[in-house]
Amino acid sequence: MTSAPDGPRPSRAEIRRVRPVDAARMRALRLEMLADAPLAFLETLADAAARPHAEYAARIAATSTGSQTAQFVADPGGRLVGHAGGTVTPTEPGLTVVYAVYVTPTWRGSGLLGDLVDAVAAWSRACGRPELMMEVVVGNDRAYRAYQKIGFVDTGVRVPHPTVPALTELQMRRPA
């Protein structure tokens, strides 16, 4: 066991694709994600909290199989401590867009970020998509540096944030 600010944590977490039985734990993690980093994800905490459990369950079931979209979690047993998703883009058939990347604060720096993105990358390669792309809010330097450490490169492309017009996002890419 290693120590974390709020007590001991297991030294390892299983990285795996979500399963339909994860719906309640994914909902809890999603609410944590939105509370911790409200600008990083494309909905508000209030909207997510108001969504019925059946919608979470349907979303998790849809992303638990197939080659169009997938979600991966870090599961040390008990509550989930990390997430990364991947989805296709109609404009670039060889590309997987990485989305909703999150590691709970006490697990940051543990290697889970790289493990989660590597799981998305393996799925992407298996689906015939050799490249990953993600977007990061300009000014989120902690996330930007973390993604650089796991091989993402700033492409120079800047796009408007999809929900907050005053913000800009930068695109980063790496091989899957």
Side-chain angles (χ1 to χ4, degrees):
M1 302 280 262
T2 57
S3 290
D6 61 355
R9 71 172 186 223
S11 60
R12 301 285 305 153
E14 176 188 11
I15 307 299
R16 62 172 174 77
R17 194 160 182 181
V18 293
R19 302 175 191 137
V21 298
D22 293 326
R25 294 192 304 155
M26 266 305 302
R27 182 179 190 276
L29 183 62
R30 180 71 179 173
L31 297 177
E32 176 187 328
M33 293 163 65
L34 291 164
D36 185 51
L39 296 178
F41 308 106
L42 303 181
E43 72 179 330
T44 67
L45 177 58
D47 288 344
R51 186 175 310 114
H53 176 75
E55 279 188 41
Y56 279 95
R59 180 182 293 180
I60 297 307
T63 61
S64 67
T65 63
S67 62
Q68 298 298 299
T69 187
Q71 293 185 51
F72 295 87
V73 292
D75 184 358
R79 78 182 186 91
L80 301 175
V81 297
H83 175 275
T87 191
V88 299
T89 177
T91 57
E92 290 187 63
L95 179 71
T96 291
V97 176
V98 180
Y99 69 91
V101 179
Y102 180 77
V103 175
T104 197
T106 57
W107 282 79
R108 291 178 186 156
S110 69
L112 282 187
L113 174 67
D115 294 345
L116 286 161
V117 172
D118 285 347
V120 175
W123 169 78
S124 183
R125 289 190 309 273
C127 295
R129 295 185 298 271
E131 189 173 18
L132 302 178
M133 187 271 289
M134 64 170 32
E135 294 174 345
V136 180
V137 172
V138 171
N140 186 348
D141 295 334
R142 185 185 72 205
Y144 181 81
R145 286 189 305 273
Y147 297 136
Q148 280 184 315
K149 284 182 183 178
I150 61 171
F152 282 90
V153 176
D154 187 341
T155 65
V157 174
R158 301 296 184 265
V159 297
H161 189 280
T163 60
V164 183
L167 297 177
T168 300
E169 292 187 318
L170 60 88
Q171 290 184 356
M172 301 181 84
R173 292 184 181 229
R174 75 164 233 201

